[in-house]
Amino acid sequence: MNDINWLNVALGFLGGFGLFLFGMEYMGEGLQKAAGSRMKNLLGVLTNNRFLGVLVGAGVTALIQSSSATTVMVVGFVNAGLMSLKQAVGVIMGANIGTTVTAWIVSLGEWTSFLKPSVLAPICIIIGVVMTMFAKKQSAKHIGQIIFGFGALFLGLDMMSNAAKPLSGLEEIKNAFIILGKNPLLGILTGALVTAVIQSSSASVGILQALATAALVPWDSAIYIILGQNIGTCITAILSSIGASKNAKRAATVHFLFNLLGSILFAILALIGFKFVAPELGSVSIEVTHISMVHTIFNVLNTFLLFPFASVLVYLAEHIIPGNDTAEEGELQHLDERILETPTFAVENAVKEVVRMGNIAEQNAKVAVQALFDKDEKKIQEVFDREKIINQLQHGINHYLVKLSNVSLSEHEHTVITGLFHTVSDIERVGDHAENIAELAQSLIEKDLNFSKTAIDELKEITDTAIKCFELSLQAYEFGDKTIAKNALPLEESVDAMEAKLRSRHMKRLASNTCDSLAGIVFLDTVSNVERISDHASNIAQTILDENRSLTTEELNLHPIA
């Protein structure tokens, strides 16, 4: 076997691995589309029932063919406040069970000759291509994508297996696996490293199964490598948690602790078994189906054993990652790019973040008006500082909404996002008008001007009505309540009527010289800004009442797609 063409072996194996990865991802994508929001909504079963969480995690992972992807989504859910750390533990445990599905798919070829990759691959690819290209129904196209993904996965597996066959007679390769089997730590490290690099335990198990078809892998090295693979798969979630909240980091830590503790326990049991119980088994070549069995038994038993100690895992994670999150007001608190994979919740959280921005703008309007009445420089500066936060939130939310609008969404979700763009723009304008009022307060202080008691009473009435209108509009938006939205509209009309009345009264005061002309200019400018606040509040309410409103060219220019 010294005349092995290593280039052909490497190209065949790597090419097959690439095709295997593509097939696995393409099949998972098709399964997600076929299941639709029902599958994605499984992760939204936010419950303290950890057993249900295990089932949800296993089901979602079985569909998307990646425990890493499920765990990353869980980290995103925790970071965005959609899921508590305790709720996440069960889903993380279940994800490990769900990831074993791929290994069983790969094992099909050992059960009957018809299910061999070389037979199934071309059949699946032909059927998948025909359905994807010629089916008229979208659901049929999704099924075609699943079947094509199966075919690509099997073709990749067949290529890897064929590439590995020339190595079966190579003593150096066999000796390498013998060394991994005799040294548990080295075997675990190998499995962890390979999985960490390719960031998929399903894919690394597939590689091991391809090598097993060439009778290269003994039982002992296979088990230690599988245990290492379960540790290595944690790297994706750990990397994903960088820059996230402490709770999100803890979720990734729970995933790591769960797999690490389980791997240590089973490594000890395996070591005892190979040393004292069945020493002859360690050197026997493992079969593909046996790898699937070992992978499944480990994950199921690990969940069964550690499930009662979920609170302990949370306790350990909280001590490894101590302290509380201190989020800045200008940071996005409900938005996380990891949950873009679940658009239903991404849209819901976008609404939450926009409402939070609106509440900040409402607070700024109240402080600006009070600064005007009190001529308080500290409050004026507070308004200016908060306006920077509002602008920062506008930029961050619009950037997120652009990304969200480019994922697969339902027609209703597209409509909601269009409304969110409008509302963010209206809220930002409310912030601008609050800033204008603060600048008018600054002008009163600098020029030592004063309003008459009548003017102050009039301003209090119109500002109270405008801010109440804005408050109701935000409530209507938060809860999607058309009744509240309808209640906000008459207030806007009242503000319009008051503005006309106040202007008329003020002109009479100027004519009778009962009002300072410079203070009068500030008064009229304040009334104008307050009226504009109610206009934008009305726009927000109208967004709830008229959900089919489309973006204008001017508004589109405010948030171009980068």
Side-chain angles (χ1 to χ4, degrees):
M1 297 299 293
N2 292 328
D3 58 344
I4 293 175
N5 189 324
W6 288 101
L7 180 61
N8 285 345
V9 170
L11 289 176
F13 197 88
L14 291 175
F17 177 61
L19 201 54
F20 179 88
L21 274 182
F22 169 77
M24 189 171 67
E25 184 174 340
Y26 198 66
M27 179 177 62
E29 188 181 305
L31 283 162
Q32 288 184 61
K33 290 177 180 177
S37 60
R38 292 187 300 275
M39 185 280 296
K40 295 179 187 263
N41 286 344
L42 281 175
L43 272 178
V45 182
L46 307 181
T47 172
N48 288 316
N49 186 329
R50 284 197 299 270
F51 178 72
L52 185 58
V54 171
L55 297 179
V56 169
V60 171
T61 306
L63 284 173
I64 63 178
Q65 297 287 297
S66 173
S67 61
S68 298
T70 302
T71 310
V72 166
M73 277 194 279
V74 168
V75 168
F77 273 51
V78 172
N79 191 52
L82 279 167
M83 184 182 285
S84 72
L85 185 58
K86 288 183 179 179
Q87 291 165 345
V89 174
V91 180
I92 290 170
M93 289 180 172
N96 278 27
I97 296 173
T99 196
T100 62
V101 170
T102 309
W104 284 107
I105 292 172
V106 172
S107 302
L108 293 176
E110 278 193 344
W111 302 355
T112 172
S113 58
F114 175 74
L115 295 177
K116 286 186 178 296
S118 57
V119 177
L120 272 183
I123 295 173
C124 289
I125 289 172
I126 292 169
I127 294 173
V129 167
V130 171
M131 290 185 69
T132 304
M133 293 184 66
F134 300 109
K136 293 183 179 180
K137 289 185 177 180
Q138 201 64 34
S139 57
K141 288 182 179 289
H142 294 158
I143 294 171
Q145 181 175 343
I146 296 168
I147 295 172
F148 180 86
F150 265 113
L153 185 151
F154 284 130
L155 184 59
L157 179 66
D158 193 45
M159 287 177 63
M160 284 195 290
S161 301
N162 290 333
K165 281 178 182 176
L167 306 178
S168 59
L170 213 59
E171 289 300 319
E172 290 85 351
I173 300 293
K174 290 183 177 180
N175 290 337
F177 277 105
I178 290 172
I179 292 171
L180 295 179
K182 300 303 178 188
N183 190 328
L185 182 61
L186 193 58
I188 291 171
L189 286 175
T190 300
L193 182 62
V194 171
T195 308
V197 169
I198 62 179
Q199 296 195 23
S200 172
S201 61
S202 297
S204 61
V205 170
I207 292 175
L208 189 65
Q209 288 176 304
L211 293 172
T213 60
L216 288 169
V217 188
W219 265 86
D220 50 9
S221 64
I223 287 179
Y224 297 135
I225 290 171
I226 289 170
L227 295 178
Q229 288 167 336
N230 282 277
I231 297 173
T233 193
C234 300
I235 190 66
T236 309
I238 291 171
L239 292 174
S240 173
S241 70
I242 295 173
S245 68
K246 289 185 183 295
N247 254 2
K249 289 185 174 72
R250 288 168 188 149
T253 304
V254 166
H255 186 216
F256 176 71
L257 289 174
F258 174 66
N259 283 3
L260 178 65
L261 293 174
S263 296
I264 291 173
L265 175 62
F266 279 87
I268 293 171
L269 293 175
L271 188 61
I272 293 171
F274 290 131
K275 285 285 186 183
F276 305 108
V277 181
E280 69 284 350
L281 181 63
S283 58
V284 176
S285 294
I286 194 169
E287 295 181 2
V288 174
T289 302
H290 292 152
I291 290 176
S292 303
M293 291 172 62
V294 169
H295 193 213
T296 302
I297 290 170
F298 165 74
N299 284 295
V300 171
L301 283 181
N302 192 31
T303 300
F304 179 78
L305 291 172
L306 294 181
F307 183 82
F309 303 100
S311 297
V312 177
L313 294 177
V314 172
Y315 175 82
L316 290 173
E318 287 174 342
H319 280 73
I320 293 171
I321 310 291
N324 298 314
D325 288 303
T326 53
E328 295 291 332
E329 198 173 21
E331 294 177 0
L332 300 176
Q333 293 182 13
H334 296 102
L335 305 184
D336 191 299
E337 292 190 11
R338 284 164 284 243
I339 61 173
L340 289 173
E341 293 293 327
T342 51
T344 301
F345 299 110
V347 171
E348 287 178 9
N349 270 31
V351 172
K352 288 182 184 178
E353 192 66 26
V354 170
V355 170
R356 189 177 78 87
M357 176 186 172
N359 290 332
I360 293 171
E362 180 190 339
Q363 177 65 18
N364 224 27
K366 290 178 179 178
V367 173
V369 169
Q370 201 58 47
L372 184 76
F373 293 147
D374 299 343
K375 295 202 288 187
D376 189 325
E377 291 185 352
K378 287 185 178 179
K379 288 179 180 175
I380 291 170
Q381 187 57 48
E382 183 184 335
V383 171
F384 293 156
D385 292 341
R386 195 175 283 114
E387 170 61 12
K388 292 176 183 176
I389 291 171
I390 293 169
N391 291 335
Q392 187 178 338
L393 287 174
Q394 181 203 23
H395 176 77
I397 292 171
N398 279 338
H399 183 70
Y400 189 87
L401 289 177
V402 169
K403 288 190 173 183
L404 182 54
S405 63
N406 287 325
V407 303
S408 179
L409 298 168
S410 67
E411 186 176 343
H412 171 70
E413 287 166 343
H414 272 297
T415 301
V416 172
I417 290 173
T418 299
L420 286 170
F421 275 125
H422 286 302
T423 303
V424 169
S425 178
D426 282 312
I427 290 171
E428 192 276 332
R429 294 296 295 140
V430 168
D432 288 344
H433 290 299
E435 185 180 35
N436 291 344
I437 294 171
E439 289 171 350
L440 291 169
Q442 204 170 39
S443 180
L444 284 180
I445 295 171
E446 291 172 355
K447 296 176 182 177
D448 194 23
L449 302 173
N450 293 291
F451 291 137
S452 66
K453 185 180 183 306
T454 302
I456 290 174
D457 289 342
E458 290 173 342
L459 282 176
K460 282 183 177 178
E461 183 182 8
I462 192 171
T463 54
D464 286 349
T465 307
I467 291 173
K468 183 63 177 177
C469 179
F470 186 53
E471 183 181 336
L472 286 177
S473 296
L474 288 176
Q475 287 178 12
Y477 207 86
E478 181 175 7
F479 302 110
D481 193 319
K482 293 190 177 184
T483 302
I484 298 176
K486 288 176 181 176
N487 291 337
L489 297 182
L491 294 178
E492 191 271 334
E493 294 172 1
S494 296
V495 171
D496 287 346
M498 275 190 273
E499 185 203 20
K501 189 189 296 183
L502 294 185
R503 284 185 180 278
S504 176
R505 288 177 182 174
H506 184 68
M507 296 309 293
K508 289 178 181 178
R509 287 198 294 269
L510 285 175
S512 62
N513 292 320
T514 58
C515 178
D516 183 277
S517 59
L518 290 176
I521 293 172
V522 175
F523 177 88
L524 291 175
D525 284 346
T526 302
V527 169
S528 178
N529 278 285
V530 170
E531 190 276 332
R532 292 297 294 142
I533 287 175
S534 70
D535 284 345
H536 290 293
S538 175
N539 289 344
I540 294 170
Q542 288 288 358
T543 301
I544 296 298
L545 296 171
D546 181 18
E547 294 180 339
N548 294 319
R549 178 182 168 219
S550 58
L551 290 169
T552 64
T553 304
E554 180 184 358
E555 287 168 324
L556 281 169
N557 288 334
L558 292 175
H559 35 73
I561 296 176

